[in-house]
Each structure stands twice: as C-alpha cells, then as structure tokens.
Amino acid sequence: MARYIIKNEGLSLSNILYSGGGHFYILLPAKSMDRIKQYQKYIDEVFYKAHNLEVSVLLAAEKFSVSKLATANFSEVFDGVGKRLYKEKTENLIAF
C-alpha cells in the first residue's frame, strides 16, 4: 500500500519512513493529503474484490512544519496521526 501511494504521488522509496507490522508512515507533500481518502477507498475496493470481504484499511495524515522534521518535536506528528487513526477506528467499528 505504501509503495502504491508513493508511486502514484511520484515519490521515491525514501519517502517511506517506516513499514512493518501492518503499519506504515510516509512523508508526503501537503498537496497529497487531499487524496488520502481516495487511496483508502481504492484499497478497500481492491480488498473487497480480491477476498469478497469488507476489509477496511485506515489511512490518516497530519500536516507539520519542516522545522519539526529535524527536531524531537517530530514525535508530536506521530502522536497526531495515531490519534486520527484511533478516531477513525472507533468511528468505523461495527457493533455485533
């Protein structure tokens, strides 16, 4: 998924900051944030067609200034994304 996104955004593998354990972090330009939901929808559709199951992928983005990238404050960006994903997850839970 991370490779699919960076390829479509015209970026390189070096934009993938982390990929493992079912998670990935990508460094994207701000203009790409508008397409995050489109990527999520497309990936969900591909999973549904491939497995005939509703499998949801949650993607989130967080804007930050370049100055945070080179400082200890960058952890705030990860925290912000984590909070967005948690919100998405709790809003999309299906009650049984």
Side-chain angles (χ1 to χ4, degrees):
M1 287 179 257
R3 285 178 182 233
Y4 171 79
I5 293 170
I6 63 166
K7 179 181 176 189
N8 281 290
E9 293 298 320
L11 303 170
S12 71
L13 284 174
S14 62
N15 287 83
I16 301 175
L17 301 178
Y18 172 80
S19 180
H23 297 84
F24 60 87
Y25 293 95
I26 305 173
L27 190 57
L28 295 170
K31 65 181 181 178
S32 300
M33 286 184 66
D34 297 336
R35 291 185 285 278
I36 293 295
K37 293 296 178 195
Q38 293 170 348
Y39 288 126
Q40 182 171 332
K41 183 179 178 195
Y42 173 75
I43 292 167
D44 287 348
E45 288 171 1
V46 168
F47 277 176
Y48 184 78
K49 287 177 184 174
H51 304 290
N52 205 26
L53 295 170
E54 286 195 37
V55 177
S56 184
V57 171
L58 299 177
L59 301 176
E62 179 82 10
K63 282 189 180 182
F64 63 92
S65 66
V66 175
S67 62
K68 281 192 177 183
L69 187 60
T71 66
N73 293 334
F74 193 63
S75 63
E76 294 172 6
V77 176
F78 285 109
D79 291 343
V81 171
K83 288 176 184 174
R84 287 179 189 268
L85 285 173
Y86 180 78
K87 183 179 177 197
E88 288 273 334
K89 192 181 289 187
T90 56
E91 289 176 357
N92 291 309
L93 284 176
I94 300 172
F96 290 99

